[in-house]
């Protein structure tokens, strides 16, 4: 009997089937490549939707912190790093014949590596989805900020009633928007909602750019800070906190394999990644630049909160409502795409020996209900989790986006690494570890400083 190759061992170890049956949908006898016949455009929209989420609203504040010129350069630089890391994932996955991200990591680092990656994906995606639902609740029902209640769209339009409360509106959204969308078993089924989601992100950029142009014509735009303002040691170290924010804005690595596995022609995946990241980079650069030009030094950490007053042009209130409504719907449509990989990775953690979740209706249903229930409770009863979100962004997100791909490339179990694969991974690891360490300590320092001020 021929010896089993090392390529097969990581996948076979976790399944009872004699065939390679991975944790995420992939190419086997029952789930072969091209079964869904996903198109190039559909894959681009699904990947772009994975990228453009809540992170887009933090970009103007990030650019303000770094200065206009370094901020825009960093957006493009992180896009290049993201493309490089995804390219590593694709190339090394093909070398080890793995059609899952977890299988790739298992090939390089065994079961412990696989488990650690899945934990990072679950933590990152859970945090992201809770934040998404919180923002949707803020848009629809309003929020409290500095002791002042900012009305949501439903309360502005219909007044304050029991059916315009946060709990009720999020329950309606969960039952009639999220539940149907998360019930699909293929990510390609979300291509139309993903296309609409990307379109709504473009609407936000277009409105912001239009307001800036109108105000510029009438001389209402001040010149923004072009370079970072460094007054002391604290302001210097705070610059490093921008890197995890940008990484979080570009994170999409957990959906690379599910999207590729449904393609009619998997050789198109590199072009799909390049097209998607180019589109997202244009949206991000425009958002960062126009957002900073519009609000200047008054730019808030979540720029959506800036669209809550007079923009200095006619029909400001109408434009505010359009921006908030379009972004709220955008997040509703991003939600199921991120949820897709969350459910698959959690299932892989809990049931590593079971058949793929797409073929087990009972497990699929129970996992979906449990996860959506947890996210719903988190969004309603833990409304102030931005600090926790920053911690997950500085740890789980950079691990999924940079540390794991770089480590796989450096491990090079199949001897395919190029010269760049010996240089770029070390750059990724250095930036990820150093910036994340500084970001975590900076966040902890700010939290304890606030607590000390309150106590004093």
């Amino acid at each position: 009997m021929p010896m089993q190759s090392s390529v097969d061992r990581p996948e076979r170890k976790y399944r009872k089937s004699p065939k390679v049956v991975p944790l995420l949908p992939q190419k086997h006898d029952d789930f072969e490549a091209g079964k869904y016949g996903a198109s190039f455009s559909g894959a681009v929209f699904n990947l772009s939707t994975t990228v453009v989420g809540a992170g887009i609203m933090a970009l103007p504040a990030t650019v303000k912190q770094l200065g206009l010129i370094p901020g825009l350069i960093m957006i493009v630089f992180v896009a290049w790093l993201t493309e490089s890391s995804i390219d590593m994932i694709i190339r090394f996955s093909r070398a080890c014949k793995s059609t899952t991200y977890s299988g790739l990591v298992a090939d390089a680092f065994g079961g412990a590596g696989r488990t650690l990656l899945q934990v990072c994906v679950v933590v990152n995606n859970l945090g992201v989805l809770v934040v998404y639902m919180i923002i949707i609740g803020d848009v629809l029902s309003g929020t409290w900020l500095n002791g002042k209640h900012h009305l949501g769209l439903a309360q502005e339009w219909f007044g304050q009633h029991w059916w315009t409360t946060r709990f009720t509106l999020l329950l309606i959204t969960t039952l009639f928007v999220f539940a149907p969308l998360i019930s699909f078993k293929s990510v390609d089924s979300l291509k139309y909602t993903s296309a609409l989601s990307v379109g709504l992100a473009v609407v936000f950029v277009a409105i912001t750019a239009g307001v800036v142009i109108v105000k510029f014509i009438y001389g209402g735009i001040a010149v923004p800070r072009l370079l970072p303002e460094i007054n002391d040691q604290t302001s210097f170290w705070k610059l490093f906190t921008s890197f995890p924010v940008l990484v979080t804005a570009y994170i999409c690595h957990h959906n690379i394999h599910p999207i590729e596995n449904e393609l009619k022609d998997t050789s198109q995946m590199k072009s799909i990644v390049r097209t998607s990241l180019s589109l997202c980079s244009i949206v991000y650069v425009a958002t960062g630049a126009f957002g900073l030009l519009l609000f200047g030094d008054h730019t808030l950490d979540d720029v959506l909160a800036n669209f809550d007053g007079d923009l200095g042009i006619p029909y400001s209130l109408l434009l505010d409502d359009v921006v908030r409504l379009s972004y709220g719907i955008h997040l509703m449509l991003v939600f199921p795409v991120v949820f897709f990989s969350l459910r698959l990775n959690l299932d892989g953690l809990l049931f590593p020996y079971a058949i793929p979740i797409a073929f087990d209706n009972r497990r699929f249903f129970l996992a979906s209900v449990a996860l959506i229930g947890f996210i719903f409770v988190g969004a309603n009863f833990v409304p102030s989790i931005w600090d926790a979100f920053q911690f997950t962004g500085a740890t789980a997100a950079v691990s999924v986006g940079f540390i794991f791909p770089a480590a796989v490339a450096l491990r090079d179990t199949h001897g395919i690494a190029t010269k760049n694969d010996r240089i770029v991974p070390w750059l990724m690891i250095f930036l990820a570890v150093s910036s994340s360490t500084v970001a975590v300590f900076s966040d902890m320092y700010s939290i304890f400083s606030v607590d000390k001020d309150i106590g004093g």
Side-chain angles (χ1 to χ4, degrees):
M1 185 176 69
M3 293 181 64
Q4 184 185 39
S5 68
S6 61
V7 171
D8 293 331
R9 289 187 193 118
E11 298 286 358
R12 291 175 187 258
K13 180 180 178 181
Y14 286 86
R15 297 294 180 187
K16 291 180 177 179
S17 170
K19 298 182 181 180
V20 177
V21 185
L23 297 177
L24 302 183
Q26 57 182 301
K27 309 154 195 151
H28 55 73
D29 290 345
D30 298 318
F31 201 104
E32 69 277 6
K35 177 179 179 180
Y36 291 100
S39 63
F40 183 95
S41 59
V44 168
F45 285 128
N46 279 326
L47 188 59
S48 299
T49 300
T50 308
V51 175
V52 182
I56 189 175
M57 290 300 162
L59 293 179
T62 301
V63 173
K64 180 186 75 171
Q65 181 173 289
L66 294 173
L68 183 62
I69 296 175
L72 298 184
I73 291 175
M74 278 296 296
I75 291 176
V76 177
F77 175 68
V78 175
W80 171 75
L81 279 182
T82 301
E83 183 182 352
S84 299
S85 65
I86 294 175
D87 180 67
M88 292 174 189
I89 291 174
I90 294 173
R91 286 190 293 110
F92 284 89
S93 292
R94 289 173 181 170
C96 71
K97 296 181 174 59
S98 174
T99 50
T100 72
Y101 193 0
S102 58
L104 168 64
V105 175
D107 178 76
F109 299 103
R114 174 198 292 265
T115 300
L116 183 59
L117 170 70
Q118 290 173 327
V119 169
C120 288
V121 173
V122 169
V123 169
N124 178 75
N125 288 21
L126 266 180
V128 165
L129 292 179
V130 172
V131 170
Y132 284 5
M133 194 176 285
I134 287 174
I135 297 175
I136 292 169
D138 292 345
V139 169
L140 296 178
S141 66
T143 185
W144 287 89
L145 185 63
N146 298 326
K148 180 181 177 182
H149 183 59
H150 296 262
L151 294 177
L153 294 176
Q155 294 179 344
E156 283 184 7
W157 296 345
F158 307 109
Q160 297 189 30
H161 305 283
W162 67 267
W163 48 272
T164 61
T165 60
R166 182 189 199 87
F167 181 90
T168 304
L169 290 173
L170 285 182
L171 181 62
I172 293 173
T173 303
T174 300
L175 294 177
F176 297 101
V177 179
F178 293 150
L181 291 177
I182 66 174
S183 64
F184 291 112
K185 294 185 177 180
S186 73
V187 71
D188 186 57
S189 302
L190 300 169
K191 61 185 176 183
Y192 297 114
T193 57
S194 293
L196 178 58
S197 173
V198 174
L200 290 172
V202 174
V203 167
F204 166 75
V205 174
I207 291 176
T208 306
V211 174
V212 169
I213 292 172
V214 171
K215 295 190 70 173
F216 179 79
I217 293 174
Y218 290 99
I221 294 294
V223 178
R225 189 166 57 244
L226 300 180
L227 297 173
E229 185 177 5
I230 303 176
N231 299 320
D232 50 28
Q233 188 175 4
T234 302
S235 61
F236 171 76
W237 290 112
K238 193 173 181 181
L239 295 177
F240 289 86
T241 63
S242 62
F243 186 75
V245 174
L246 293 172
V247 173
T248 303
Y250 278 107
I251 199 75
C252 62
H253 304 65
H254 46 76
N255 263 349
I256 294 297
H257 288 92
I259 291 173
E260 182 184 24
N261 293 337
E262 296 179 6
L263 281 175
K264 186 180 300 183
D265 180 6
T266 57
S267 65
Q268 295 180 321
M269 194 60 201
K270 287 189 178 181
S271 297
I272 288 168
V273 171
R274 190 172 295 113
T275 302
S276 176
L277 290 179
S278 298
L279 173 62
C280 294
S281 297
I282 293 172
V283 172
Y284 281 178
V285 167
T287 300
F290 289 122
L292 181 59
L293 286 170
L294 180 56
F295 300 112
D297 290 336
H298 300 290
T299 304
L300 300 175
D301 290 342
D302 178 7
V303 76
L304 189 66
N306 284 111
F307 289 91
D308 190 30
D310 187 6
L311 298 176
I313 64 171
Y315 306 106
S316 285
L317 295 180
L318 175 61
L319 291 175
D320 284 339
D321 287 352
V322 172
V323 165
R324 288 188 290 166
L325 180 62
S326 62
Y327 186 65
I329 298 175
H330 163 74
L331 287 185
M332 292 179 190
L333 301 180
V334 173
F335 191 99
V337 179
V338 179
F339 189 92
F340 191 88
S341 59
L342 168 63
R343 177 174 51 207
L344 289 170
N345 281 275
L346 180 65
D347 181 73
L349 277 173
L350 299 179
F351 305 102
Y353 296 99
I355 63 173
I357 190 173
F359 301 102
D360 189 328
N361 291 332
R362 183 170 178 269
R363 211 165 80 242
F364 184 90
F365 174 78
L366 292 176
S368 300
V369 171
L371 285 171
I372 198 69
F374 179 88
I375 295 167
F376 177 79
V377 171
N380 278 281
F381 298 104
V382 192
S384 299
I385 64 161
W386 283 104
D387 289 324
F389 184 48
Q390 290 172 354
F391 280 120
T392 60
T395 53
V398 296
S399 297
V400 173
F402 289 149
I403 293 179
F404 278 108
V408 167
L410 292 173
R411 181 81 167 178
D412 191 22
T413 54
H414 299 277
I416 66 166
T418 64
K419 185 177 180 180
N420 284 340
D421 291 332
R422 300 298 182 189
I423 300 174
V424 176
W426 283 115
L427 175 62
M428 290 180 182
I429 291 175
F430 171 76
L431 289 174
V433 173
S434 59
S435 62
S436 296
T437 302
V438 173
V440 169
F441 279 106
S442 177
D443 288 338
M444 291 177 64
Y445 177 78
S446 62
I447 292 173
F448 288 123
S449 294
V450 171
D451 291 341
K452 184 176 180 181
D453 291 340
I454 293 174

